[in-house]
Amino acid sequence: MTEPAVLPKDPCADFASAEGRAHFARSLDCVHCGLCLPVCPTYQLTGNEASSPRGRIYMMRAVADGRISAEPGSTYDNELHFCLVCRACETVCPSGVQMEALVEHARCEMNKKTGPPSRARRFLLRTVLPDRKWLRRAADATAIYSKTPIGKILRKLGIVDWLFPGATAREALMPHVPKREHRRDLPALLPPVGEKRGRVAFQEGCVASQLLQDINEATVRVLTRNGWEVSLWKNPSCCGALHAHAGDLEFARELAKKNIEEFEKTKADFFILNSAGCGSHIKNYARLLEVETGWLHRAKEIAAKTRDIGEFLVETGYKPRNGPRALRVAYDEPCHLVHGQRVSAQPKQLLQSIPGLQLVPLAGATDCCGAAGLYSLERTTDSMAILDGKMQQIRASGCEVLATGNPGCILQYRLGARRAGMNLQIMHPIQLLDEG
Amino acid sequence: MAHSTPVPTSHADPVVQELVAALGENSVAADRDTLLAYECDGLALYKQRPRMVIWPNSTEQVSAAVRILHRFGVPIVPRGAGTGLSGGATPVENGALIQLSRMKRILDVNPTDRMARVEMGVINADLSAHVARFGLAYAPDPSSQTACTLGGNVAENAGGPHCYKYGATSLHVLSLKVVLSNGNITELGSPDADPIGYDLRTLFIGSEGTLGIATEAWVRLIPKPEIVETWLAPFASMDAACKAVSSIVASGIQPAAIEILDDRTIAAIEASVFAAGYPLDAAAVLLVEVDGAPIEVGRDGERIRGICQQFGALNIQFARDEDERKRLWKGRKGAFGAMGRVAPDLYVMDCVVPRSKLPAALDAIREICDRYKVRNANVFHAGDGNLHPNISYDGRDADETKRVLAAGEEIVKMCVALGGTLSGEHGIGIEKNIYMPLVFGAGELDAFANLRRAFDPDGLMNPGKVMPAALCGEIAGAMKR
Amino acid sequence: MKFTDEIAEEIKAAAGKTGLARVTPDRRILHAAPVTNEGAALILKIATRERIVVRTRLFPYGAEESAQFHYRVIQLDLSRLAGVIEYSPEDFTIHVRAGTPLRAIQEAAAAASQWLPVDPPADNALSIGEVIAKNEAGPRRTGYGPIRDHLLGAVIATPNGNILKTGGAVVKSATGYDLHRLQAGALESLAVGLEYILRLRAKPEAAATIAVECQDRGTAIEKALRVRDLIDHPAALFIISDLVGPTRVVVRYEGSQAAVDVATERARPVLGPNRVEPAEGDKLLMAARDGGLEPGFRTPGRSPITLRIGSRPSRIQLALHAVTLVMEKVHKPVAACIHPSIGVADLWIPKPENADPRQILNEARAELMKLGGGFARLRRPFETHGGEPQPSWPDSAAYAVMARLKQSSDPLQILNPGVLPFPAPADAFAPDVPPPEQAPAARPSGASAQPAGH
């Protein structure tokens, strides 16, 4: 692997600049073999190599070499944002190319040229996501908007689209917001059931804390039942993955530092996530912070202690579920679990340990669902094209429950089931294991 | 926002305008960045931007596009997944690239006749996966099989480790639907036995896209072997490994595959995601696979182990279950990619010698590479005498690149001198067309040119590939008319 | 037109001192047996220059042809270009001259327990050149493929006198165009083969033949396909339905003793315990191999008409039925040897006087077309793919390519003209006297050849 010798301080240094060339050096790992083409969801859609990992890297190299300029609105720009950053290419890449890192930097560079992000985007990323208070307000607003006449009025006045351009057109994507009592924060410290085996830190996540709190509750129940004391913090309520993917590396670094500080305060033995995207990102904090003086070893330490819930339970041992669940379950592997963290066997093992549960094979289980963070909002057509293909495979599997371990994917599949008119339950594997 | 729409260009090019009118906006691109992404295939040494890229959905669309290109006299380069290593899919100046990536349907599987009708954009490994439910498989398995398309396999007459037993692509393709350079659609060969006339199908397979564009094929499927055993034998010297191979082959055993990897390849693999637990202290490892009925496989396996031990193999590993086998093969299949970790660029060569000349050829390769001070590693199909010398280098270093090419040339000449030839499975493309006179005289090259003209009188199909430049000029001359 | 002394002398010189060049008394046929590659090439060059038709040993009807069409014919005999040039047992390759009898190759290979796993008719008496020109194979084609699959390289002489070499002693090559494999099945109509390089295999240590009687061909085919679906790959799998015995399914396994025993055991539920004695097994294989040479038809004047049909396993039974009906119009019963797993069958009848084999061929083809596909060719009394293309195959584009290939290699159409279904271009060779327009029955057998813009 060609590791860059000195990385620039500026996370968004132009590939073509002297500083940025160090980031660009990562792209030199690519030998243009093409093994990444068939696993890339966007290449599968278009058959166009510009929409493939090696094509995108080739364009990045050309930018670095000054052969083309990174112009907003160009194919290069379009392809950078067409990429889902699902990292499927990294799994098959024999040369170990770090596609995620390359895309994040390329987007960061492109952002500078595109100019400041839209009001809505900046508000969402920098204000709402990292702060539980704002997340709650946003969830309340969404609930009011979709369930009361106020929404209709706002829509008619055009206020919605003024605030969030194009939002009304995407209302079908809007998730169901649970009632307030179902999205209460978890206590800061939860005692273990029985003998204490140690302490783990847990983060409820930004979106999940409002929309999928039942999964968080199930997660901490399983943890405490297995003898783990669980420690939580409220803010920052986000790991920063969405920011990094959007190319906002500066803010992603801020969030990473704050999360590291919070984690250190808990003095926990492990940091547990039930969100594949968050886990993958936190395990990558070292890459994000390697140029920040004094942070590298702290980032490495948190990464070393971070575990996906499934990975953790299989590693440390867990009490199997007593009651049977006679269900046909298909397991869909979240990209940032199977590709991002190379965790694949453990969640399946966990599911198979559940009495009565039948794990049915699912074709394309390691392919992206098209959620990809903000992708489904920003590139809805592409996202839905990918999702609809996945729904066909899920239907063919004949499962009653689809289990998957990432909030974004769960919400996306719920939408997919609605679109396909399927009577399908979408659950996190931990919910199936949980007896509460 | 439609996902597949490349950013529209002005379409000032009248050819592009017509193509768009015939195939639709989504199927043609001629913008700067897209063309850039198509500059090269798996051989990144040579680069050329195409004039436009076309993605047809059907044979009829290929034909429609070719008719337009033929009328304008635009040269045509067909492309599958662009994983080829001899530059067969590298665009030509002012030429169109027709990529069959959207033609990936498996149209028919007939278990009684053990054949399948497939579009040429189908990925090699996908076909085997698809027919597994019938207990069948598609035999050719090039190392890039998870990505490369059957169309590319046809163009290069692709082999793979298992073609030692089962033969290369030409033994597994029964007929081809081909679009000729004037847009005519025709069928070469037949799914029925013994077609009348010249065997144009065999001629087409391995012609590297110079005779037409194959769009569809009937391929032969073979029954999946009952059991498969894989043996990994480490040797203290390359010579001993080669001698063991000769001895295995001479014994009459017909293994499914016999592969050798040298120490430097092992080191690269073990440092990559393809780490397979190959012993790092061996000078060479021999990977042998036997398949068939249990009793025969068991007996052959034992004999192979005996032979390996006789030549000093230590700690022979054995795999019978699927996971273990996959692990042992993972390193071999990922060898080239893993070499990408050694340096920014990798030159994967391909040449053949009679098997008995393997030790001499390997010694010579090491000597040549040492002399030119380039980093070489070898992984090869030992049963076939098909060598893959790999040279790792940094393409930004002009001097090193020059030395790589010079070493490559000497290696090719050495193989020919040993009674071998230029390519075993990667093809000639633009990588080795200048070496064609090493193995062919003027008469043969002239016959090849005639043969090409019989298919493509106007010289539009993949010009400049396979044949040396002098003859390309002739074809170009014919092109101008 | 007749051979002049001048040309006869020139060809004689080309054939070489120990070679042969003899003109018939009517000076229309010249038998030439050159002893060097260069001599053979030179004879072709002279023939092209002088516009003389060349017939190779594959088509030994030059005399009749000449008498019919009143033109000169060189009957080119390559039997003196024989012998093994190089044999490398370690590499499993053998380099031989075209006139080498297959038997000589098998004998050389046997010394190292190797063989060329093809078994064409006539007990290995055919020369390798003929085997390749016809892409010939016997019952073992099921297990090992036709000769084309074993061909690694060739030295050929083209009608313009060039000697070309492609391929080589390597078992795998992606170098240049497969000119050598193009010769396989081309009936020496593009070039004349002079030398071939072939891949050999280790001779299997054991063999077992199982034969079981069946009531009819349909049951036999069904049974044979069930045998094919067993895990073991047979070396040969065929049905003999001739006139001297009952219809039999025959399967042959070859390999190690253990493998053969296991395969035999596994076939038992389908075929029962019907393993035959080795001598009987060899006899069955020979019967399948020699198809039309079957005893009942070998009497003089009763040479057989043999048709080979090419189909696919799922359709072979229908194809067989259709072609049998065509042949039964001429003679009943029709004998057959069927290789269902590769979709091939040979059918034969004794040749009645005045019957035109070509007519039977054309009718058979028409029947196959009705079934949606399949091919027929004449194997006996003479080898031809027919004079006219089939209505739907080769379709016009492939057909044009073939015609252009022939044109570029043999512009004057001197080499074995008419054996493949290409009309000669208008400016090609023309005989001094146009062929008389007579009923087909009056043609000499084999002189389906009508070189000359006819």
Side-chain angles (χ1 to χ4, degrees), chain A residues 216-264:
Chain A
N216 288 333
E217 284 164 6
T219 307
V220 294
R221 261 197 306 273
V222 171
L223 283 169
T224 52
R225 178 168 176 259
N226 280 287
W228 299 100
E229 183 181 55
V230 182
S231 173
L232 300 96
W233 65 88
K234 235 182 246 178
N235 283 329
S237 55
C238 175
C239 65
L242 293 172
H243 307 80
H245 274 196
D248 189 354
L249 292 176
E250 201 185 331
F251 198 71
R253 283 181 182 178
E254 291 304 307
L255 284 176
K257 286 185 209 168
K258 284 185 189 157
N259 274 310
I260 290 172
E261 281 168 350
E262 290 299 329
F263 174 71
E264 286 169 350

Coordinates of all heavy atoms in Angstrom, one line a residue, chain A residues 216-264:
Chain A
N216 N -32.8 1.0 19.8 CA -31.9 1.3 20.8 C -32.2 0.7 22.2 O -31.4 0.2 22.9 CB -31.8 2.9 21.0 CG -31.1 3.5 19.8 OD1 -30.2 2.8 19.2 ND2 -31.4 4.7 19.5
E217 N -33.5 0.7 22.5 CA -34.0 0.1 23.7 C -33.7 -1.4 23.7 O -33.2 -1.9 24.7 CB -35.5 0.4 23.9 CG -35.8 1.8 24.3 CD -37.3 2.2 24.2 OE1 -38.1 1.3 23.8 OE2 -37.6 3.4 24.4
A218 N -33.9 -2.0 22.6 CA -33.7 -3.5 22.5 C -32.2 -3.7 22.7 O -31.7 -4.6 23.4 CB -34.1 -4.0 21.2
T219 N -31.4 -2.8 22.1 CA -29.9 -3.0 22.2 C -29.4 -2.9 23.7 O -28.7 -3.8 24.1 CB -29.2 -1.9 21.4 OG1 -29.8 -1.9 20.0 CG2 -27.7 -2.2 21.3
V220 N -29.9 -1.9 24.4 CA -29.4 -1.8 25.7 C -30.0 -2.9 26.6 O -29.3 -3.3 27.6 CB -29.7 -0.4 26.3 CG1 -28.9 0.7 25.6 CG2 -31.1 0.0 26.3
R221 N -31.2 -3.3 26.3 CA -31.7 -4.5 27.1 C -30.8 -5.7 26.9 O -30.5 -6.4 27.9 CB -33.1 -4.8 26.6 CG -34.2 -4.2 27.5 CD -35.6 -4.9 27.3 NE -36.0 -4.9 25.9 CZ -36.7 -3.9 25.3 NH1 -37.0 -2.8 26.0 NH2 -37.0 -3.9 24.0
V222 N -30.4 -6.0 25.7 CA -29.6 -7.2 25.5 C -28.3 -7.0 26.2 O -27.7 -7.9 26.8 CB -29.4 -7.4 24.0 CG1 -28.4 -8.5 23.7 CG2 -30.7 -7.8 23.3
L223 N -27.7 -5.8 26.1 CA -26.4 -5.5 26.7 C -26.5 -5.7 28.2 O -25.6 -6.4 28.8 CB -25.9 -4.1 26.4 CG -25.4 -3.9 24.9 CD1 -25.2 -2.4 24.6 CD2 -24.0 -4.7 24.8
T224 N -27.5 -5.1 28.8 CA -27.6 -5.2 30.3 C -27.9 -6.6 30.7 O -27.3 -7.1 31.7 CB -28.6 -4.2 30.9 OG1 -29.9 -4.4 30.2 CG2 -28.2 -2.8 30.7
R225 N -28.7 -7.3 30.0 CA -29.0 -8.7 30.3 C -27.8 -9.6 30.3 O -27.7 -10.6 31.0 CB -30.1 -9.2 29.3 CG -30.4 -10.7 29.5 CD -31.7 -11.0 28.6 NE -31.9 -12.4 28.8 CZ -31.6 -13.4 27.9 NH1 -31.0 -13.0 26.8 NH2 -31.9 -14.6 28.1
N226 N -26.8 -9.2 29.4 CA -25.6 -10.0 29.3 C -24.5 -9.4 30.3 O -23.3 -9.8 30.1 CB -25.1 -10.0 27.9 CG -25.9 -11.0 27.1 OD1 -25.7 -12.2 27.2 ND2 -26.8 -10.5 26.2
G227 N -24.9 -8.6 31.2 CA -24.0 -8.2 32.3 C -23.2 -7.0 32.0 O -22.2 -6.8 32.7
W228 N -23.6 -6.2 31.0 CA -22.8 -5.0 30.7 C -23.5 -3.8 31.3 O -24.7 -3.6 31.1 CB -22.6 -4.9 29.2 CG -21.9 -6.0 28.6 CD1 -22.4 -7.1 28.0 CD2 -20.5 -6.2 28.7 NE1 -21.4 -7.9 27.6 CE2 -20.2 -7.4 28.0 CE3 -19.4 -5.5 29.2 CZ2 -18.9 -7.9 27.9 CZ3 -18.1 -6.0 29.1 CH2 -17.9 -7.2 28.4
E229 N -22.8 -3.0 31.9 CA -23.3 -1.6 32.4 C -23.1 -0.7 31.2 O -22.1 -0.7 30.5 CB -22.4 -1.1 33.5 CG -22.8 0.2 34.1 CD -21.9 0.6 35.2 OE1 -20.7 0.7 35.0 OE2 -22.4 0.9 36.3
V230 N -24.2 0.0 30.9 CA -24.2 0.8 29.7 C -24.2 2.3 30.0 O -25.0 2.8 30.8 CB -25.4 0.5 28.8 CG1 -25.4 1.3 27.5 CG2 -25.5 -1.0 28.5
S231 N -23.2 3.0 29.4 CA -23.1 4.4 29.6 C -23.4 5.2 28.3 O -22.9 4.8 27.3 CB -21.7 4.7 30.2 OG -21.4 6.1 30.3
L232 N -24.1 6.3 28.4 CA -24.5 7.0 27.2 C -24.2 8.5 27.4 O -24.2 9.0 28.5 CB -26.0 6.9 26.9 CG -26.5 5.5 26.6 CD1 -27.1 4.9 27.9 CD2 -27.5 5.5 25.5
W233 N -24.0 9.2 26.2 CA -24.0 10.6 26.3 C -25.0 11.2 25.2 O -25.3 10.5 24.2 CB -22.6 11.2 26.1 CG -22.0 10.9 24.8 CD1 -22.1 11.7 23.7 CD2 -21.2 9.9 24.4 NE1 -21.4 11.2 22.6 CE2 -20.8 10.0 23.1 CE3 -20.7 8.7 25.1 CZ2 -20.0 9.1 22.4 CZ3 -19.8 7.9 24.5 CH2 -19.5 8.1 23.1
K234 N -25.5 12.4 25.5 CA -26.5 12.9 24.6 C -25.9 13.7 23.4 O -26.2 13.4 22.3 CB -27.4 13.9 25.4 CG -28.8 13.6 25.3 CD -29.7 14.6 26.1 CE -30.3 13.9 27.3 NZ -31.1 14.8 28.1
N235 N -24.9 14.5 23.7 CA -24.4 15.4 22.6 C -22.8 15.3 22.6 O -22.2 15.2 23.7 CB -24.8 16.8 22.8 CG -26.2 17.0 22.4 OD1 -26.7 16.3 21.5 ND2 -26.9 17.9 23.0
P236 N -22.2 15.3 21.5 CA -22.9 15.3 20.2 C -23.7 14.0 19.9 O -23.2 13.0 20.3 CB -21.7 15.4 19.2 CG -20.5 14.9 19.9 CD -20.8 15.1 21.4
S237 N -24.8 14.2 19.3 CA -25.7 13.1 19.0 C -25.3 12.4 17.7 O -26.1 11.6 17.3 CB -27.1 13.6 19.1 OG -27.2 14.6 18.1
C238 N -24.3 12.8 17.1 CA -24.0 12.3 15.8 C -22.5 12.0 15.7 O -21.6 12.7 16.2 CB -24.4 13.3 14.7 SG -23.9 12.8 13.0
C239 N -22.1 10.9 15.0 CA -20.7 10.5 14.9 C -20.0 11.3 13.8 O -18.7 11.4 13.8 CB -20.6 9.0 14.6 SG -21.3 8.6 12.9
G240 N -20.7 11.9 12.9 CA -20.1 12.7 11.8 C -19.9 12.0 10.5 O -19.3 12.6 9.6
A241 N -20.4 10.8 10.4 CA -20.3 10.0 9.1 C -20.9 10.8 8.0 O -20.4 10.9 6.9 CB -20.9 8.6 9.3
L242 N -22.1 11.3 8.2 CA -22.8 12.0 7.1 C -22.1 13.2 6.6 O -22.1 13.5 5.5 CB -24.2 12.4 7.6 CG -25.2 11.2 7.9 CD1 -26.5 11.8 8.6 CD2 -25.5 10.5 6.6
H243 N -21.4 13.9 7.6 CA -20.7 15.1 7.2 C -19.4 14.7 6.4 O -19.2 15.3 5.4 CB -20.2 15.8 8.5 CG -21.3 16.1 9.4 ND1 -21.9 15.1 10.3 CD2 -22.1 17.2 9.6 CE1 -22.9 15.6 11.0 NE2 -23.0 16.9 10.6
A244 N -18.8 13.6 6.8 CA -17.6 13.2 6.1 C -18.0 12.8 4.7 O -17.3 13.2 3.7 CB -16.9 12.0 6.8
H245 N -19.0 12.0 4.5 CA -19.5 11.6 3.2 C -19.9 12.8 2.3 O -19.7 12.7 1.1 CB -20.7 10.6 3.3 CG -20.2 9.2 3.5 ND1 -21.0 8.2 3.4 CD2 -19.0 8.7 3.9 CE1 -20.4 7.1 3.7 NE2 -19.2 7.4 4.0
A246 N -20.4 13.8 3.0 CA -20.8 15.0 2.2 C -19.6 15.8 1.8 O -19.8 16.9 1.2 CB -21.9 15.7 2.9
G247 N -18.5 15.4 2.3 CA -17.3 16.2 2.0 C -17.0 17.3 3.0 O -16.1 18.2 2.8
D248 N -17.8 17.4 4.1 CA -17.6 18.4 5.1 C -16.6 17.8 6.2 O -17.0 17.5 7.3 CB -18.9 18.8 5.8 CG -18.8 20.0 6.7 OD1 -17.7 20.5 6.9 OD2 -19.9 20.5 7.2
L249 N -15.4 17.7 5.8 CA -14.4 17.0 6.6 C -14.1 17.8 7.8 O -13.8 17.3 8.9 CB -13.2 16.7 5.8 CG -13.4 15.6 4.7 CD1 -12.1 15.4 3.9 CD2 -13.8 14.3 5.3
E250 N -14.1 19.1 7.7 CA -13.8 20.0 8.8 C -14.7 19.8 9.9 O -14.3 19.6 11.1 CB -14.0 21.5 8.2 CG -13.2 22.5 9.0 CD -13.6 23.9 8.5 OE1 -13.9 24.0 7.3 OE2 -13.6 24.8 9.3
F251 N -16.0 19.8 9.7 CA -17.0 19.6 10.8 C -17.0 18.1 11.3 O -17.1 17.9 12.4 CB -18.4 20.0 10.3 CG -19.4 20.2 11.4 CD1 -19.2 21.3 12.2 CD2 -20.4 19.3 11.7 CE1 -20.1 21.5 13.3 CE2 -21.3 19.5 12.7 CZ -21.1 20.6 13.5
A252 N -16.7 17.2 10.3 CA -16.6 15.8 10.7 C -15.5 15.6 11.8 O -15.6 14.9 12.7 CB -16.3 14.9 9.5
R253 N -14.4 16.4 11.6 CA -13.3 16.3 12.5 C -13.7 16.9 13.9 O -13.4 16.3 14.9 CB -12.1 17.1 12.0 CG -11.3 16.4 10.9 CD -10.1 17.2 10.5 NE -9.5 16.5 9.4 CZ -8.4 16.9 8.7 NH1 -7.9 18.1 9.0 NH2 -7.9 16.2 7.8
E254 N -14.5 17.9 13.9 CA -15.0 18.5 15.1 C -15.8 17.5 15.9 O -15.6 17.3 17.1 CB -15.9 19.7 14.9 CG -15.1 20.9 14.3 CD -14.0 21.4 15.2 OE1 -14.3 21.6 16.4 OE2 -12.9 21.4 14.7
L255 N -16.7 16.9 15.2 CA -17.6 15.9 15.8 C -16.8 14.7 16.4 O -17.0 14.2 17.4 CB -18.6 15.4 14.9 CG -19.8 16.4 14.6 CD1 -20.7 15.8 13.6 CD2 -20.6 16.7 15.9
A256 N -15.8 14.3 15.6 CA -15.0 13.1 16.0 C -14.3 13.5 17.3 O -14.3 12.6 18.3 CB -14.0 12.8 14.9
K257 N -13.7 14.6 17.4 CA -13.0 15.0 18.6 C -13.9 15.0 19.8 O -13.6 14.5 20.9 CB -12.4 16.4 18.4 CG -11.2 16.4 17.5 CD -10.6 17.8 17.5 CE -9.9 18.1 16.2 NZ -9.5 19.5 16.1
K258 N -15.1 15.6 19.6 CA -16.1 15.7 20.7 C -16.5 14.3 21.2 O -16.6 14.0 22.4 CB -17.3 16.5 20.3 CG -17.0 18.0 20.3 CD -18.3 18.8 20.0 CE -18.0 20.2 19.8 NZ -19.0 20.9 19.0
N259 N -16.7 13.4 20.2 CA -17.2 12.1 20.6 C -16.1 11.3 21.3 O -16.3 10.6 22.2 CB -17.6 11.3 19.3 CG -19.0 11.5 18.9 OD1 -19.9 11.4 19.8 ND2 -19.3 11.9 17.7
I260 N -14.8 11.6 20.9 CA -13.7 10.9 21.6 C -13.6 11.4 23.0 O -13.5 10.6 24.0 CB -12.4 11.2 20.8 CG1 -12.4 10.5 19.5 CG2 -11.2 10.8 21.7 CD1 -11.2 10.8 18.6
E261 N -13.8 12.7 23.2 CA -13.8 13.2 24.6 C -14.9 12.6 25.4 O -14.7 12.2 26.6 CB -14.0 14.7 24.5 CG -12.7 15.4 24.2 CD -12.9 16.9 23.9 OE1 -14.1 17.4 23.7 OE2 -11.9 17.6 23.7
E262 N -16.1 12.5 24.8 CA -17.2 11.9 25.6 C -17.0 10.5 25.9 O -17.2 10.0 27.0 CB -18.5 12.1 24.8 CG -19.1 13.5 24.6 CD -19.4 14.1 26.0 OE1 -19.8 13.4 26.9 OE2 -19.2 15.4 26.1
F263 N -16.4 9.8 25.0 CA -16.2 8.3 25.2 C -15.2 8.2 26.3 O -15.3 7.3 27.2 CB -15.7 7.7 23.9 CG -15.2 6.2 24.1 CD1 -16.2 5.3 24.4 CD2 -13.9 5.9 24.1 CE1 -15.8 3.9 24.6 CE2 -13.5 4.6 24.3 CZ -14.5 3.6 24.6
E264 N -14.1 9.0 26.2 CA -13.1 8.9 27.3 C -13.6 9.1 28.7 O -13.2 8.5 29.6 CB -11.9 9.8 26.9 CG -11.1 9.3 25.8 CD -10.1 10.4 25.2 OE1 -10.2 11.5 25.7 OE2 -9.3 10.0 24.4

